[in-house]
C-alpha cells in the first residue's frame, strides 16, 4: 500500500528537494507551499512542501523520515512562487537555501514577533441595588461600570485613561469586567502624512495621453494573459495616476497588486498615494521593505499569505510578496540600479517581476522617464508594449536647461564649487521665495585627503579605495567597508603638516552654500543625515512646508519627489560619473540629469536647471539638455553592438576573491583557461583581470566576463568548471548574472 509523501525544499545545505512521509495527523492538512519542520541529519530544519504524492516505501532503498509538524495552517507560497524559485535557482545560479532565506523572512521562520493588546469589556450587568451600593462605596468603579454599560464595546487600556488602574482591576476581581488578549496587526505608516498639503485624487481628470495608456492597459487586463507594458513618460506626465487606474481595475475584478519602488525612502509617499487613491482599508495595503521591524515584517507577511492583503508596496524584495491572486505588478522607475540585489542571490527585481507576471498570467507595468536600454530594446522588438506620455499633466513645459562651462570659470579666475551663473539664479530664487535643489552624488566633505609634500594619499587599509573626509565627525571613512580613522594632524609618511583635501561631497557643498547665502535655510539629504528612523521624511516634510529654502542632496532627491515651489535645480558635477569605467556610465549620467532636472518647474512656476561641467560640448550633455531619449538610445545601441554588450548579449560576471593574492589569481586563471576550452564558441570569455576595486575588506578581487546569447548554455559550462575547481579557504568565486556593479 502506498504512503502519502511530500517533497520538501529545506533550509538545510542539501541543494534540492528531499522526500518525507506525511504522518497520519497531517494528511488532511498538508498542501503545497506550507512551511514544515523536518528532521535533517541529526538536527531539525524548516522547509517548503511541494509535489504531494503516493509512494510505495517498501520498494525504497532508503529510509524515508516523517514530517514533524506544520508551522502555519495555510500555505506560505503559492504555485507561482514555487515555480519562481525553481526558475531563479537556474537563471541566477544560486542555491535553494539562499532563495528561501531571501523570500521567507526570519520573523516567519522564528514563529515569534506577535504583538498582543489587552482589551476590557463588561461581562456582568448589575442589579439596581448593586449599582447603588457600588456607587456609594466606590464612585470611581461605578463611573467605569457606567461608561462600559453605555458604550457596550471592548476597549484598550489607552482608551480608558480617565479611569484608574485600581478601578479596572477591582471590577475584574469582582467578575464585572472581562480582560481579553488580542493579537494586534501592526499597520506600517498607518498615519503617514506628507506635509501640510495632502495628496488626494479628488476631481482628477485624465489627459488624453493618460486615457490612451489606461485604456491600453485595461485591454491587456481584460484578456487575462501575460503582457508587459513599458510606460515611457516624461517627468510629471502623470504615470502614477495611470498606475492607480490600473490597480483599481484589478481590484474590481478580485485581483491583487504589487507596486515596487526603487528606494524604501519613497515608500511612505507611495503608500499615502495608494491609500488615498483606492477604496481599501489601510490594513489591506501592506508595506514591505528591509526597514521594517521583525514584528512588522511578520504581520505584513502573514497578511499577504493568508489573503488579507490586496496591495503590497515596497522595495525590490516586495516582488516576493505571497499574494493569493497577483494580477498586476508595477515597477516604478524601472531603470534604477537599486532593483539589482548586490549580495547572493543577485537577482534583478525588474526582471523577476516580468517573469513572475508571466507565471501569474498577469500584467507587468514598467514605468520611467528614462527607461533602461534593455527595456527600450525589448519594446523595439515588440516583447513589451510601449506607451508614451510626452506632456506634463498640468500643461507646464519641461524646465529650461543651461550648461555652465566650469573650465571657462577657472580660466576667468573664478575657481568655485558654485559657478557665478548658478549663484545668480539661486539669489534670484531666494528673493522670490522659491526653492532650490542642488544635486551632488557624492556624500562626505572631500573625497581625497593627501600630503602636498609626498605621494601619501589616505586610503583604507582593508580596501584599495581612498578615504572620504567627513568634517562633522572629523573622521576619514571608507564607503566600502565603513572603516573609520581620525584625520591625521601630520603626514603619516613624511611627517609634514601640509595635509590637503581634494574633491567635493555634499557636506562641503552645504558649507559653501551656507557661506554664500547666510540668510537661507539650508538642509542636507544623504545617507549620513538620514540614519535615524523617519529622518528622511522629516526633512522632506520641512522642505515641502517651506521651512527649507535650499536642499542639498545625493541621488535620494533625484526621483519620485514632487515639490511645486522648486523652480531651480543645480547639478554640481557630472564629470566624474561620465568617466567611470563601466559601459553603462553614459546611460546612468543621462538618466540622472533627466531625473534630477524633472524636480524643477512641477508647479505653476517655470523651472530652470543648471548643469556644471568641464565638457559642455559632450554629445551626452547635449542630448540630455534636449531630453532626447530616442537619439541617446540609438547612439548607445550602436556603441554596445560594436562590443557585444547588453542588450545584444547577457553578461555573466565571475568574481574571484581571497585573502591570498597569488592563490586567488591562480584560481581565476585556471578556471578561465578551463572555460575557454569548454566554450565551443557558445560564449566569449574576457579576463581574468584585477577588479576595478581590487581589494575589499582585506580580500583581493579578480573579475572575468562571460558574454553569451544564452545564459543557460553558458552557466552549464561554468558549473562544469565549478565541479572541477572547488572554492577553497584561500580563494572563492561567485557568479553574478546580468551584473549592474562592474567594480
Amino acid at each position: 500500500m502506498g504512503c502519502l509523501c511530500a517533497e520538501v525544499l529545506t533550509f538545510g545545505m542539501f541543494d534540492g528537494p528531499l522526500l518525507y512521509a506525511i504522518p497520519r495527523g497531517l494528511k488532511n492538512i498538508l498542501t503545497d507551499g506550507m512551511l514544515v519542520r523536518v528532521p535533517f541529519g541529526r538536527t531539525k530544519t524548516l522547509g517548503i512542501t511541494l509535489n504531494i504524492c503516493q509512494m510505495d516505501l517498501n520498494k525504497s532503498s532508503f529510509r524515508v523520515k516523517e514530517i514533524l509538524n506544520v508551522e502555519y495552517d495555510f500555505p506560505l507560497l503559492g504555485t507561482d512562487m514555487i515555480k519562481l524559485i525553481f526558475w531563479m535557482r537556474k537563471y541566477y545560479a544560486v542555491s535553494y537555501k539562499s532563495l528561501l532565506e531571501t523570500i521567507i523572512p526570519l520573523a516567519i521562520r522564528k514563529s515569534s514577533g506577535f504583538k498582543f493588546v489587552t482589551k476590557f469589556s463588561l461581562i456582568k450587568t448589575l442589579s439596581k441595588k448593586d449599582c447603588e451600593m457600588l456607587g456609594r462605596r466606590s464612585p470611581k468603579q461605578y463611573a467605569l461600570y457606567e461608561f462600559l454599560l453605555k458604550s457596550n464595546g471592548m476597549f484598550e487600556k489607552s482608551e480608558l485613561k480617565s479611569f484608574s488602574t485600581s478601578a479596572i482591576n477591582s471590577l475584574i476581581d469582582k467578575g464585572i469586567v472581562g480582560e481579553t488578549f488580542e493579537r494586534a496587526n501592526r499597520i506600517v505608516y498607518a498615519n503617514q502624512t506628507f506635509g501640510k498639503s495632502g495628496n488626494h485624487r479628488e476631481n482628477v481628470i485624465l489627459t488624453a495621453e493618460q486615457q490612451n495608456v489606461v485604456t491600453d492597459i485595461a485591454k491587456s487586463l481584460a484578456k487575462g494573459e501575460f503582457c508587459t507594458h513599458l510606460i515611457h513618460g516624461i517627468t510629471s506626465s502623470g504615470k502614477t495616476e495611470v498606475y492607480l487606474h490600473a490597480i483599481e481595475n484589478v481590484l474590481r475584478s478580485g485581483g491583487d497588486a504589487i507596486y515596487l519602488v526603487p528606494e524604501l525612502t519613497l515608500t511612505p509617499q507611495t503608500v499615502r498615494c495608494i491609500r488615498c487613491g483606492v477604496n481599501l482599508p489601510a490594513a489591506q495595503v501592506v508595506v514591505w521593505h528591509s526597514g521594517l521591524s521583525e514584528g512588522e515584517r511578520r504581520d505584513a507577511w502573514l497578511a499577504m499569505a493568508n489573503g488579507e492583503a490586496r496591495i503590497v508596496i515596497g522595495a525590490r524584495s516586495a516582488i516576493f510578496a505571497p499574494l493569493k491572486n497577483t494580477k498586476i505588478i508595477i515597477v516604478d522607475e524601472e531603470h534604477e540600479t537599486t532593483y539589482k540585489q548586490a549580495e547572493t542571490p543577485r537577482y534583478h527585481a525588474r526582471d523577476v517581476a516580468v517573469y513572475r507576471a508571466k507565471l501569474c498570467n498577469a500584467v507587468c507595468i514598467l514605468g520611467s522617464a528614462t527607461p533602461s536600454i534593455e527595456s527600450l530594446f525589448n519594446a523595439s522588438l515588440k516583447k513589451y508594449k510601449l506607451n508614451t506620455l510626452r506632456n506634463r499633466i498640468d500643461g507646464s513645459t519641461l524646465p529650461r536647461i543651461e550648461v555652465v562651462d566650469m573650465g571657462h570659470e577657472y580660466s576667468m579666475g573664478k575657481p568655485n564649487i558654485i559657478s557665478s551663473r548658478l549663484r545668480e539664479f539661486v539669489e534670484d530664487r531666494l528673493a522670490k521665495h522659491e526653492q532650490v535643489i542642488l544635486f551632488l552624488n557624492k556624500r562626505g566633505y572631500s573625497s581625497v585627503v593627501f600630503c602636498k609634500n609626498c605621494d601619501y594619499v589616505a586610503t583604507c587599509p582593508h580596501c584599495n579605495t581612498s578615504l572620504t573626509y567627513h568634517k562633522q565627525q572629523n573622521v576619514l571613512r571608507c564607503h566600502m567597508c565603513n572603516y573609520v580613522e581620525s584625520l591625521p594632524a601630520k603626514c603619516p609618511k613624511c611627517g609634514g603638516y601640509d595635509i590637503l583635501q581634494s574633491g567635493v561631497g555634499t557636506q562641503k557643498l552645504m558649507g559653501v552654500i551656507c557661506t554664500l547665502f547666510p540668510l537661507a535655510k539650508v538642509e542636507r539629504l544623504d545617507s549620513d543625515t538620514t540614519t535615524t528612523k523617519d529622518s528622511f521624511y522629516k526633512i522632506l516634510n520641512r522642505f515641502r512646508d517651506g521651512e527649507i529654502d535650499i536642499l542639498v542632496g545625493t541621488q535620494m532627491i533625484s526621483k519620485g519627489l514632487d515639490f511645486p515651489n522648486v523652480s531651480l535645480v543645480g547639478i554640481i558635477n557630472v564629470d566624474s560619473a561620465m568617466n567611470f569605467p563601466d559601459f553603462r556610465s553614459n546611460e546612468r549620467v543621462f538618466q540622472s540629469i533627466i531625473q534630477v532636472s524633472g524636480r524643477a518647474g512641477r508647479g505653476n512656476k517655470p523651472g530652470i536647471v543648471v548643469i556644471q561641467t568641464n565638457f559642455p560640448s559632450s554629445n551626452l550633455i547635449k542630448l540630455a539638455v534636449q531630453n532626447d531619449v530616442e537619439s541617446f538610445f540609438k547612439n548607445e545601441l550602436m556603441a554596445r553592438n560594436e562590443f557585444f554588450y547588453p542588450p545584444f548579449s547577457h553578461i555573466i560576471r565571475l568574481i574571484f576573491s581571497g585573502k591570498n593574492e597569488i592563490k586567488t589569481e591562480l584560481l581565476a586563471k585556471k578556471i578561465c583557461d578551463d572555460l575557454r576550452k569548454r566554450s565551443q564558441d557558445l560564449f566569449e570569455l574576457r579576463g581574468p583581470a584585477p577588479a576595478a576595486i581590487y581589494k575589499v575588506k582585506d580580500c583581493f578581487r579578480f573579475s572575468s566576463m562571460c558574454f553569451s546569447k544564452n545564459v543557460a548554455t553558458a552557466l552549464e559550462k561554468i558549473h562544469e568548471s565549478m565541479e572541477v575547481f572547488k572554492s577553497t579557504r584561500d580563494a572563492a568565486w561567485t557568479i553574478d548574472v546580468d551584473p549592474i556593479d562592474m567594480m
Side-chain angles (χ1 to χ4, degrees):
M1 185 177 174
C3 176
L4 196 62
C5 296
E7 288 185 317
V8 178
L9 275 181
T10 72
F11 286 81
M13 295 306 295
F14 182 78
D15 194 33
L18 293 171
L19 190 67
Y20 287 91
I22 300 175
R24 182 177 298 175
L26 297 179
K27 286 184 178 180
N28 296 324
I29 299 173
L30 210 64
T31 59
D32 289 355
M34 296 184 83
L35 185 67
V36 295
R37 192 170 298 276
V38 295
F40 187 81
R42 296 182 179 180
T43 62
K44 300 172 185 176
T45 188
L46 293 172
I48 292 292
T49 57
L50 51 136
N51 298 334
I52 296 173
C53 58
Q54 290 282 344
M55 294 284 291
D56 189 352
L57 299 184
N58 294 324
K59 296 180 180 179
S60 176
S61 59
F62 54 89
R63 177 172 168 260
V64 178
K65 298 179 181 179
E66 282 192 344
I67 293 172
L68 300 174
N69 63 275
V70 172
E71 297 292 299
Y72 299 93
D73 59 2
F74 53 86
L76 291 190
L77 300 179
T79 305
D80 63 316
M81 282 303 301
I82 293 173
K83 289 180 179 178
L84 187 69
I85 289 172
F86 278 90
W87 174 78
M88 289 183 67
R89 197 270 184 194
K90 185 177 181 180
Y91 187 84
Y92 290 108
V94 292
S95 67
Y96 289 116
K97 181 177 185 291
S98 67
L99 286 171
L100 288 174
E101 288 177 345
T102 300
I103 292 170
I104 301 176
L106 186 61
I108 293 295
R109 288 178 267 143
K110 285 172 61 177
S111 298
S112 62
F114 282 128
K115 179 183 178 182
F116 291 91
V117 294
T118 306
K119 291 193 173 182
F120 305 96
S121 61
L122 197 67
I123 59 174
K124 179 182 177 182
T125 305
L126 299 179
S127 64
K128 186 177 179 180
K129 181 180 178 182
D130 290 337
C131 284
E132 291 173 352
M133 187 180 298
L134 183 65
R136 286 197 306 271
R137 294 181 177 179
S138 180
K140 292 182 179 180
Q141 290 180 34
Y142 180 72
L144 173 59
Y145 169 80
E146 196 173 38
F147 171 80
L148 293 174
L149 182 66
K150 290 179 180 178
S151 304
N152 190 28
M154 299 185 73
F155 299 89
E156 293 182 29
K157 195 166 185 178
S158 60
E159 298 173 290
L160 300 176
K161 26 175 118 160
S162 57
F163 304 100
S164 66
T165 302
S166 60
I168 296 172
N169 291 336
S170 295
L171 290 186
I172 291 172
D173 293 339
K174 293 174 181 176
I176 299 172
V177 170
E179 184 180 26
T180 57
F181 301 93
E182 291 186 4
R183 183 166 74 88
N185 184 20
R186 282 160 284 213
I187 301 174
V188 182
Y189 308 138
N191 300 310
Q192 179 64 41
T193 58
F194 229 138
K196 294 171 184 174
S197 55
N199 181 6
H200 301 284
R201 294 179 67 212
E202 298 171 2
N203 304 317
V204 171
I205 300 174
L206 296 178
T207 65
E209 283 186 327
Q210 284 178 310
Q211 187 60 61
N212 288 338
V213 179
V214 166
T215 302
D216 199 27
I217 293 172
K219 289 177 181 177
S220 297
L221 288 169
K223 291 178 182 177
E225 299 173 355
F226 164 64
C227 181
T228 300
H229 286 258
L230 175 62
I231 300 180
H232 178 196
I234 66 169
T235 54
S236 195
S237 60
K239 292 185 290 294
T240 303
E241 191 62 37
V242 172
Y243 302 155
L244 284 168
H245 274 74
I247 290 173
E248 287 177 325
N249 192 340
V250 165
L251 293 176
R252 283 194 296 269
S253 63
D256 302 329
I258 297 175
Y259 191 128
L260 300 186
V261 293
E263 303 267 4
L264 63 87
T265 50
L266 296 176
T267 312
Q269 69 178 53
T270 307
V271 170
R272 175 162 178 74
C273 181
I274 296 294
R275 285 179 178 160
C276 290
V278 299
N279 188 24
L280 281 181
Q284 291 185 355
V285 182
V286 170
V287 178
W288 186 261
H289 56 64
S290 60
L292 305 183
S293 68
E294 186 174 281
E296 288 171 337
R297 291 171 75 80
R298 181 183 176 84
D299 287 355
W301 183 269
L302 292 180
M304 293 184 277
N306 65 22
E308 292 176 16
R310 300 293 309 282
I311 302 173
V312 176
I313 303 168
R316 62 174 175 264
S317 59
I319 190 54
F320 304 123
L323 291 173
K324 294 292 185 183
N325 188 24
T326 306
K327 286 303 171 188
I328 193 166
I329 301 176
I330 296 167
V331 185
D332 194 21
E333 307 291 1
E334 64 85 26
H335 67 279
E336 283 292 336
T337 58
T338 48
Y339 282 123
K340 173 73 173 179
Q341 172 88 348
E343 300 84 26
T344 302
R346 292 175 167 84
Y347 66 93
H348 198 301
R350 177 198 62 213
D351 300 339
V352 174
V354 173
Y355 196 81
R356 184 174 180 187
K358 181 179 180 180
L359 294 173
C360 297
N361 285 322
V363 170
C364 184
I365 299 177
L366 311 178
S368 175
T370 54
S372 63
I373 297 295
E374 288 84 354
S375 293
L376 284 171
F377 187 68
N378 281 329
S380 71
L381 297 178
K382 307 300 182 183
K383 290 183 179 180
Y384 298 167
K385 284 188 175 183
L386 180 61
N387 301 106
T388 55
L389 297 170
R390 302 181 186 277
N391 301 289
R392 287 187 158 186
I393 50 175
D394 55 5
S396 63
T397 58
L398 287 171
R400 175 168 61 87
I401 300 180
E402 279 199 21
V403 179
V404 175
D405 184 354
M406 294 304 287
H408 179 69
E409 287 275 317
Y410 296 137
S411 67
M412 296 293 289
K414 303 174 182 177
N416 207 326
I417 298 171
I418 300 295
S419 64
S420 55
R421 186 62 171 154
L422 179 55
R423 182 174 177 175
E424 290 173 10
F425 277 124
V426 173
E427 289 173 343
D428 177 69
R429 290 316 185 263
L430 292 176
K432 294 177 178 176
H433 302 290
E434 295 171 7
Q435 292 172 298
V436 178
I437 287 178
L438 298 179
F439 172 76
L440 177 62
N441 205 19
K442 183 76 176 176
R443 61 192 174 102
Y445 189 81
S446 57
S447 52
V448 181
V449 174
F450 65 99
C451 176
K452 184 180 178 181
N453 302 317
C454 69
D455 61 354
Y456 168 76
V457 176
T459 56
C460 175
H462 309 290
C463 312
N464 70 321
T465 56
S466 59
L467 295 172
T468 300
Y469 177 52
H470 290 251
K471 188 176 182 180
Q472 194 169 354
Q473 299 86 12
N474 197 36
V475 297
L476 300 174
R477 185 183 299 276
C478 174
H479 290 171
M480 293 297 297
C481 70
N482 211 31
Y483 167 81
V484 176
E485 66 177 45
S486 300
L487 179 70
K490 61 180 181 179
C491 177
K493 187 172 182 179
C494 71
Y497 287 90
D498 290 328
I499 300 294
L500 304 178
Q501 298 158 12
S502 177
V504 181
T506 49
Q507 200 175 72
K508 187 173 184 178
L509 175 60
M510 180 174 173
V512 170
I513 295 300
C514 290
T515 302
L516 291 175
F517 310 103
L519 299 180
K521 292 168 285 188
V522 187
E523 191 69 75
R524 179 163 57 99
L525 188 66
D526 57 30
S527 56
D528 292 327
T529 62
T530 55
T531 54
T532 60
K533 192 173 184 180
D534 295 335
S535 53
F536 176 86
Y537 321 120
K538 288 176 181 176
I539 293 172
L540 287 188
N541 280 340
R542 290 174 54 217
F543 189 57
R544 183 180 294 275
D545 294 341
E547 297 173 20
I548 299 170
D549 300 315
I550 303 174
L551 186 64
V552 175
T554 56
Q555 83 285 346
M556 286 185 174
I557 62 174
S558 68
K559 50 190 172 286
L561 304 178
D562 187 0
F563 302 107
N565 198 39
V566 173
S567 58
L568 174 64
V569 167
I571 302 176
I572 305 305
N573 179 19
V574 297
D575 297 350
S576 59
M578 286 170 64
N579 299 307
F580 211 63
D582 187 333
F583 74 91
R584 287 192 177 94
S585 60
N586 281 350
E587 180 182 6
R588 288 172 184 163
V589 171
F590 182 82
Q591 290 168 340
S592 181
I593 292 173
I594 300 296
Q595 292 287 341
V596 179
S597 300
R599 302 312 109 202
R602 296 174 76 95
N604 53 13
K605 302 177 178 69
I608 295 178
V609 178
V610 176
I611 302 174
Q612 298 186 164
T613 176
N614 288 297
F615 308 102
S617 59
S618 162
N619 191 49
L620 169 63
I621 298 291
K622 289 179 180 178
L623 291 176
V625 168
Q626 297 164 7
N627 197 36
D628 191 348
V629 177
E630 288 79 8
S631 295
F632 176 78
F633 171 62
K634 290 176 183 176
N635 291 349
E636 274 296 291
L637 278 188
M638 290 175 60
R640 294 194 188 184
N641 190 30
E642 182 179 355
F643 296 100
F644 198 43
Y645 281 129
F648 299 100
S649 71
H650 287 277
I651 293 179
I652 302 173
R653 188 182 184 209
L654 307 180
I655 307 141
F656 307 90
S657 63
K659 295 186 182 297
N660 188 308
E661 183 177 8
I662 296 173
K663 290 182 178 180
T664 303
E665 184 177 16
L666 183 62
L667 176 68
K669 287 181 177 178
K670 283 182 177 179
I671 288 174
C672 288
D673 287 343
D674 183 72
L675 277 173
R676 283 192 178 91
K677 294 175 185 176
R678 298 175 187 273
S679 68
Q680 300 171 346
D681 296 326
L682 295 172
F683 56 86
E684 178 189 348
L685 191 68
R686 302 175 192 174
I693 301 179
Y694 183 48
K695 185 181 177 186
V696 176
K697 298 180 181 178
D698 293 318
C699 285
F700 297 93
R701 304 167 73 244
F702 293 84
S703 176
S704 180
M705 302 288 189
C706 176
F707 293 77
S708 175
K709 288 277 189 182
N710 189 294
V711 170
T713 302
L715 283 176
E716 182 181 343
K717 301 300 179 184
I718 291 171
H719 286 304
E720 287 176 8
S721 273
M722 287 179 69
E723 290 300 315
V724 177
F725 301 96
K726 301 287 186 182
S727 295
T728 66
R729 288 185 178 180
D730 299 313
W733 57 310
T734 55
I735 300 172
D736 188 1
V737 179
D738 300 330
I740 294 294
D741 179 11
M742 310 300 283
M743 302 302 288

